[in-house]
Each structure stands twice: as C-alpha cells, then as structure tokens.
Amino acid sequence: MRPPWGKVALALGLALAAVLGIVALLNRGGPREFALDHYEKVSQDGSSYVLRSDKSVSPTAAEIRKAWKPAQELNDPAGVFLRYSNLVVAVTPDPERGGSTVYLDDERRGYNHWFPFVVGYWGTGGVGGFGGGGVRGGGPGAGK
Amino acid sequence: MRAVALAGAALLVVLATPAAAQNPVYDADTAADIAAAFAEATEEQGGICYAVTLDVNDPSGQWGGSYLISSAGVDVQLPETGCTGRVQLQAFLAYASEYSEGVDTASWQVTSDISAVTEADLEDNGLSATSLLDDGRSEQVLLNAALALPRLAAEKDPRVPPIVLTPATEPPPADARATDRPGSDALRQNKTSVVLLGLVAAGALAWAFSLLRRPWRQIPYRSRTPTPEQP
C-alpha cells in the first residue's frame, strides 16, 4: 500500500504556509517605518528624525501605539515616550503650528536626548547630578 | 487602683489599633515625582492646579486609606485660592474581603473646572482603571494617568498653554544607560498570531509524519517472486 501522497502534500503545504506566515509577520517593518510613512519629515540627523503630525499628542501616540505596541510607555506633562527595541519615540505638542512633533531616536541617542525625563523609569545613571534641573526619577523600575 | 485600670485600658487601645495602612499603589518616591511634575506644570501653565486622590477600601485594614498628591505637595490639599483652574483625578480601589465572594474593583474619574478632560481621555491614552488592580503595573498606570493630566488639559482647552518637551543639550552622566532592553517589536506585536501559526505548522508536520509512517508498519511485506511449490 502506497502512502496517501495527496494528504502528505497538503500537510506539508500547510506547514510551509504557516512558516511563511510567521516569516511575513516578523518582517513587516516596525514602528520606525510606520512613523516615517505616516508623518511629515522635518529633519534628519543620522538615524534620528524629527517628524510632524497634524494631530495632537494623544491621537498621534494612540496611532503609533495601536500600530506597534510599545515595550514601555511613559507619560509626562509635556508629552509621551514610547520605547521599542532600539527605538525611542517622543511625542510632544507643537504650539507654533498645531499638532505635534514626533522624535525618533535609537536607544542610546534617545536615552541621551530624554535622559532627564526617563531616568529612573527605564534607565539609570547620575540621578541628581545632571545639570539643568528638572531631573525626575526613582519611579517604577528604579530598583523597586 | 484607678491608675492601673486606666493604664490597662490605654494598653488595650494601643494593641487594638491596626498598624498604619500602606499605600497599595505607589511609594513615597513616586508620590514626590508626581508632586514635582504637578508643581512644574502649575507654574508653566499659569496657575492651573492638579491633584490625584486615591481612596482605598480594604476590609483587612492593611491597605485602606485616602492618599493625596497635588501641585501643593504630597498629602497637601490644593489651596482654596490661587489656582486659575483645577484638574483632579480621583481613583477608587475596593478590595473584597477574603471571606466574601466579591471581587476587587477599581475605577477613576476626572473632574475639571477649566477643560473637558474626562476619564475617557485616559482610556484613549491606553490607560485603564482596572490596571490599578494589577500589582505589577498599578504604580506605572497611576503615574502615567497623573502625568498625562497637564497635557490633556492643554489638548482639550486652547486657553491652557501646552508644555513642550525639549531634548537635553548636555550629555548625560557617564554611567547613564537604559536598562531592561525591550524584546523584538514584531514578536510583541504579533505574539498571538505567531503562536497560532507555529501550532499550525507543528500540527501539520506531525500529521505528515504520521501519514508517512503508518502504511510501512501495518502492511506486511509480500515478495513478488512465487514461492516454489512444495514437493
């Protein structure tokens, strides 16, 4: 008796389709690509971008959050920080033109840019020793 | 004799009084952070005051209490005068008795006399009151909800000036570094789909394998050459 080659081919095809589906899901861009596709580019410095959204901070952050779930999120009276794998997104009001400004930075540069705001929440270093004041920290994630 | 009775009564009162309740959501550092951010926002937004109250009902007495953070400080009420507007978040936690079949509940509401900020705005920002029951997330959720108030007030009312983030111009200290590296964005976003597709792939491979194995084991081998006739 020969094996049911038709059924075997169907099963292997199903497995292949599922694997291809996984590969497609894991390679469909990311939050950086989403932001660059959806918001107007204002300036670029290496891998850092400044973008402009016509919408205010809440709907802009909600769009990004809905498209790509952040690993961590921090609200501030001045904006929202979304943390991804090697990407920090900061959304803040644009009082001159309306809408909001979206900053994209890689992990290291983003941490340096927004250190006074995110230290103690998703990073460490020199609490209290940073010039210019306004250093917050010691919140969740700071050794609790 | 009377003095001894009074001393005994006083001792009983002391022993019967439960230890001071603990705040189940945030600690003193987080409260100080929120108060400092509120004070900054009040200054930058022309005197609009912010406050968060957390009312906890706990039959065991361990967590119950009312906790307050405002632009005026931790456990300090907003002044009767001097605020050009007020935005307040009131959060309520009710823990069920361990002897009842009830469940823990959490809710919040936002009241404001200067802008139409509501609890729906917090929900739109991905914040949910029920997360206050999640021990691992409650502090971050309350912090995010509190710190969103000045921004939401400015978004909802054009009379309220927005506060703008300004990137740091000075380099951070040498030991500054981000912690807790996030995992793959694609995996986080598509976790359920990837798991389901993985199960489909594994199931399909198992099915194919079983189809290939089954016939060889069950059908006995038969030679095509005729067996010689027995004498």
Coordinates of all heavy atoms in Angstrom, one line a residue, chain A residues 21-30 67-69, chain B residues 184-198:
Chain A
G21 N 4.0 32.5 6.9 CA 3.1 33.5 7.6 C 3.9 34.1 8.7 O 3.9 35.3 9.0
I22 N 4.6 33.2 9.5 CA 5.4 33.7 10.6 C 6.5 34.6 10.1 O 6.7 35.7 10.7 CB 6.0 32.5 11.4 CG1 4.9 31.7 12.1 CG2 7.0 33.0 12.4 CD1 5.4 30.4 12.8
V23 N 7.2 34.2 9.0 CA 8.3 35.0 8.5 C 7.7 36.4 8.0 O 8.3 37.4 8.3 CB 9.0 34.3 7.3 CG1 10.0 35.2 6.6 CG2 9.7 33.0 7.8
A24 N 6.6 36.3 7.4 CA 6.0 37.6 6.9 C 5.6 38.5 8.1 O 5.9 39.7 8.0 CB 4.8 37.3 6.1
L25 N 5.0 37.9 9.1 CA 4.7 38.7 10.3 C 5.9 39.4 11.0 O 5.8 40.5 11.4 CB 3.9 37.9 11.3 CG 2.5 37.6 11.1 CD1 1.9 36.7 12.1 CD2 1.7 38.9 11.1
L26 N 7.0 38.6 11.0 CA 8.2 39.1 11.7 C 9.0 40.1 10.8 O 10.0 40.6 11.3 CB 9.0 37.9 12.2 CG 8.3 37.0 13.2 CD1 9.3 35.9 13.7 CD2 7.8 37.8 14.4
N27 N 8.6 40.2 9.6 CA 9.4 41.1 8.7 C 8.5 42.2 8.1 O 8.8 42.6 6.9 CB 10.1 40.2 7.6 CG 11.2 39.4 8.2 OD1 12.3 40.0 8.5 ND2 11.0 38.2 8.4
R28 N 7.5 42.6 8.7 CA 6.6 43.6 8.1 C 6.9 45.0 8.7 O 6.1 45.7 9.2 CB 5.1 43.2 8.3 CG 4.7 43.2 9.8 CD 3.2 43.1 9.8 NE 2.7 43.3 11.2 CZ 2.2 44.5 11.6 NH1 2.2 45.5 10.8 NH2 1.8 44.7 12.8
G29 N 8.1 45.4 8.6 CA 8.5 46.7 9.1 C 8.6 46.8 10.6 O 8.8 45.8 11.3
G30 N 8.3 48.0 11.1 CA 8.4 48.2 12.5 C 7.9 49.6 12.8 O 7.4 50.3 12.0
A67 N -0.6 50.7 16.2 CA 0.1 50.0 15.1 C 1.2 49.1 15.6 O 1.4 48.0 15.2 CB 0.7 51.0 14.1
W68 N 1.9 49.6 16.6 CA 3.1 48.9 17.2 C 3.0 49.1 18.7 O 3.3 50.1 19.2 CB 4.4 49.3 16.7 CG 4.6 48.9 15.3 CD1 4.3 49.6 14.1 CD2 5.1 47.6 14.8 NE1 4.5 48.8 13.0 CE2 5.0 47.6 13.4 CE3 5.5 46.5 15.5 CZ2 5.4 46.5 12.7 CZ3 5.9 45.4 14.8 CH2 5.9 45.4 13.4
K69 N 2.7 48.0 19.4 CA 2.6 48.0 20.9 C 4.0 48.3 21.5 O 5.0 47.6 21.2 CB 2.1 46.7 21.4 CG 1.8 46.6 22.9 CD 1.3 45.3 23.3 CE 1.1 45.2 24.8 NZ 0.8 43.8 25.2
Chain B
S184 N 11.9 41.8 20.8 CA 11.5 42.1 19.4 C 10.2 42.8 19.4 O 9.2 42.3 20.0 CB 11.5 40.7 18.7 OG 10.7 40.9 17.5
D185 N 10.1 43.9 18.6 CA 8.8 44.6 18.4 C 7.8 43.7 17.6 O 6.7 43.7 18.0 CB 9.1 45.9 17.6 CG 10.0 46.9 18.4 OD1 9.9 46.9 19.6 OD2 10.7 47.6 17.7
A186 N 8.3 43.0 16.6 CA 7.5 42.2 15.8 C 6.8 41.0 16.6 O 5.7 40.7 16.5 CB 8.2 41.6 14.6
L187 N 7.7 40.4 17.5 CA 7.2 39.3 18.3 C 6.1 39.8 19.3 O 5.1 39.2 19.6 CB 8.3 38.7 19.0 CG 8.2 37.2 19.4 CD1 7.8 36.4 18.1 CD2 9.5 36.6 20.0
R188 N 6.4 41.0 19.9 CA 5.5 41.6 20.9 C 4.1 41.9 20.2 O 3.1 41.7 20.8 CB 6.1 42.9 21.5 CG 5.3 43.5 22.6 CD 5.9 44.8 23.1 NE 7.3 44.8 23.1 CZ 8.0 45.6 22.2 NH1 7.5 46.3 21.3 NH2 9.4 45.5 22.3
Q189 N 4.2 42.5 19.0 CA 3.0 42.9 18.3 C 2.2 41.7 17.8 O 1.0 41.8 17.8 CB 3.4 43.8 17.1 CG 2.3 44.4 16.3 CD 1.5 45.4 17.1 OE1 2.0 46.0 18.1 NE2 0.3 45.6 16.8
N190 N 2.9 40.6 17.4 CA 2.2 39.5 16.7 C 2.3 38.2 17.5 O 2.2 37.2 16.9 CB 2.8 39.3 15.3 CG 2.8 40.6 14.5 OD1 1.8 41.1 14.2 ND2 4.0 41.1 14.1
K191 N 2.4 38.4 18.8 CA 2.7 37.2 19.6 C 1.6 36.1 19.4 O 1.9 34.9 19.2 CB 2.7 37.6 21.1 CG 3.3 36.5 22.0 CD 3.4 36.8 23.5 CE 3.3 38.2 23.9 NZ 3.4 38.5 25.3
T192 N 0.3 36.5 19.5 CA -0.8 35.5 19.4 C -0.7 34.9 18.0 O -0.8 33.6 17.9 CB -2.1 36.2 19.6 OG1 -2.0 36.9 20.8 CG2 -3.2 35.2 19.6
S193 N -0.6 35.7 16.9 CA -0.6 35.1 15.6 C 0.6 34.2 15.4 O 0.5 33.1 14.8 CB -0.5 36.3 14.6 OG -1.6 37.1 14.7
V194 N 1.8 34.6 15.9 CA 2.9 33.7 15.7 C 2.8 32.4 16.4 O 3.1 31.3 15.9 CB 4.2 34.5 16.2 CG1 5.4 33.5 16.3 CG2 4.6 35.6 15.3
V195 N 2.2 32.4 17.6 CA 2.0 31.2 18.4 C 1.0 30.3 17.6 O 1.2 29.1 17.5 CB 1.5 31.5 19.8 CG1 1.0 30.3 20.5 CG2 2.6 32.1 20.6
L196 N -0.1 30.9 17.2 CA -1.1 30.1 16.4 C -0.5 29.5 15.2 O -0.7 28.3 14.9 CB -2.3 31.0 16.1 CG -3.2 31.3 17.3 CD1 -4.3 32.3 16.8 CD2 -3.8 30.0 17.8
L197 N 0.2 30.3 14.4 CA 0.8 29.8 13.2 C 1.9 28.7 13.5 O 2.0 27.7 12.8 CB 1.5 30.9 12.4 CG 0.5 31.8 11.6 CD1 1.2 33.1 11.1 CD2 -0.2 31.1 10.5
G198 N 2.6 28.9 14.6 CA 3.6 27.9 15.0 C 2.9 26.6 15.3 O 3.4 25.5 15.0

